[in-house]
Amino acid sequence: MENEINPGVIEKFLEELPEKAFHLGLRVVLAALVFLIGVQLIRLVRKILKRALQRSKTDVSAVNFIDSFVKFGLYFLLILTLASGLGVDATSILALIGSAGVAIGLAMQGSLSNLAGGVLILLLKPFRVGDYIEDSTGKAGTVESIDIFYTHLVDYDHISIVLPNGTLANGNIINYTHCKYRRVDIPVSISYRSDIKDARRVLLKVLEEEKTARKDMPQQIIVEELADSGVNLRVRCFTTQDDYWDTKWRLTEQIKYALDEAGISIPFPQVDVHIDPGVDFTGGLSK
């Protein structure tokens, strides 16, 4: 019958099976060796590239971005080489990748946007590694690294924040450490019974005694608002980025001590209630 299998074919297959299994096992072993060697070579190339970029004084963020991009590309080439070594046609792989490119692009719109955002951040440099930034959503922290798709921040609580490069590139960014100096603003309230001139004199003395406050830059004590409970002042001075928080916290504490020593009171929210004696609040109820 036509559907019957020729015994000679089965016999020939069984005879060739050990040889084919041997060749397949040899290819797998060689592929494993090539993979291990390739991983070491990729590490070596990345190490040499990093050193070369660092010697040329390339920005740290650019070094990290280029390293991530090279790593991705070299591993892709390694996998393609291994597939070819195992008998898979490289042309077929590239054709498959090309035909699936549109679908992959649609599925990875966010990732491609992050990649483009990373390139823009690298070229335009709105911030660098080590800068303290805040994005449009209120997430803030020190830039730890800029990768292909994401930017990593660390806030003051040592919490890691991962932000997409696409969102950063298309949104508002506040870079607090771009300038060398930063202004310290401290709100201070005094009661209406206190003298503004006396308060200004006390606050200026506190600024003069603060070593980290820049004496060659403006120092101001301004009346900001006549509020409901008191007079709102604002103490302003400049300091370096590194000394900003220590200066702000120390001045806030010293201002409280100085005002207490000078007898100038700091008001708290209060409401004055005036009762009309002609109004009966009992509602006509008798005892």
Side-chain angles (χ1 to χ4, degrees):
M1 297 177 64
E2 294 180 358
N3 294 333
E4 291 182 357
I5 300 176
N6 190 347
V9 175
I10 299 176
E11 183 178 353
K12 183 178 180 181
F13 174 77
L14 293 175
E15 290 177 354
E16 295 178 352
L17 182 60
E19 183 179 356
K20 290 182 177 180
F22 173 77
H23 287 296
L24 179 61
L26 184 61
R27 285 186 177 183
V28 172
V29 173
L30 290 176
L33 290 175
V34 170
F35 177 78
L36 294 175
I37 295 173
V39 169
Q40 297 300 323
L41 288 176
I42 289 174
R43 290 178 180 175
L44 180 61
V45 170
R46 291 175 59 199
K47 188 175 181 179
I48 294 174
L49 179 63
K50 271 189 173 181
R51 287 183 178 178
L53 292 173
Q54 290 170 353
R55 288 178 181 175
S56 62
K57 297 182 179 179
T58 305
D59 187 67
V60 178
S61 56
V63 173
N64 294 335
F65 185 89
I66 294 173
D67 176 64
S68 300
F69 193 82
V70 170
K71 177 183 176 181
F72 178 82
L74 290 179
Y75 271 106
F76 176 78
L77 292 177
L78 177 60
I79 293 174
L80 192 64
T81 302
L82 292 176
S84 301
L86 291 174
V88 181
D89 188 7
T91 306
S92 301
I93 297 176
L94 294 176
L96 179 63
I97 294 175
S99 61
V102 176
I104 294 174
L106 292 175
M108 299 181 61
Q109 285 184 357
S111 298
L112 294 176
S113 175
N114 292 337
L115 176 61
V119 174
L120 288 175
I121 292 172
L122 181 64
L123 294 177
L124 302 179
K125 297 180 180 179
F127 57 84
R128 301 182 180 184
V129 173
D131 287 352
Y132 186 84
I133 66 171
E134 180 180 344
D135 72 345
S136 56
T137 63
K139 299 292 189 301
T142 303
V143 180
E144 187 177 37
S145 64
I146 304 173
D147 296 336
I148 297 179
F149 301 110
Y150 298 97
T151 294
H152 298 263
L153 309 180
V154 177
D155 68 1
Y156 280 104
D157 295 328
H158 277 240
I159 297 175
S160 179
I161 303 173
V162 182
L163 300 177
N165 288 335
T167 304
L168 285 175
N170 296 318
N172 298 325
I173 301 174
I174 301 176
N175 191 335
Y176 290 98
T177 54
H178 179 74
C179 299
K180 184 177 180 180
Y181 300 106
R182 184 174 174 184
R183 191 177 69 185
V184 179
D185 277 20
I186 302 176
V188 178
S189 294
I190 62 173
S191 66
Y192 277 102
R193 296 180 180 179
S194 301
D195 192 321
I196 296 177
K197 294 181 180 180
D198 290 341
R200 179 178 279 111
R201 175 180 50 79
V202 171
L203 295 175
L204 283 174
K205 183 179 179 182
V206 172
L207 288 179
E208 291 175 358
E209 295 176 352
E210 175 56 47
K211 296 181 180 179
T212 57
R214 300 287 302 183
K215 304 301 186 294
D216 57 341
M217 301 183 75
Q219 295 183 352
Q220 296 176 307
I221 311 296
I222 62 175
V223 178
E224 187 175 45
E225 182 185 10
L226 301 178
D228 295 335
S229 302
V231 180
N232 292 341
L233 309 178
R234 188 166 289 271
V235 179
R236 289 179 174 177
C237 68
F238 285 86
T239 187
T240 61
Q241 293 288 350
D242 294 337
D243 293 330
Y244 174 80
W245 288 109
D246 289 337
T247 303
K248 183 179 178 67
W249 295 330
R250 188 164 49 246
L251 278 176
T252 303
E253 181 178 355
Q254 294 302 319
I255 286 171
K256 176 62 169 64
Y257 294 150
L259 292 177
D260 289 345
E261 186 177 350
I264 299 174
S265 61
I266 299 176
F268 55 87
Q270 56 186 348
V271 177
D272 294 333
V273 179
H274 300 277
I275 301 176
D276 189 345
V279 178
D280 183 9
F281 291 94
T282 64
L285 297 176
S286 59
K287 297 182 179 179

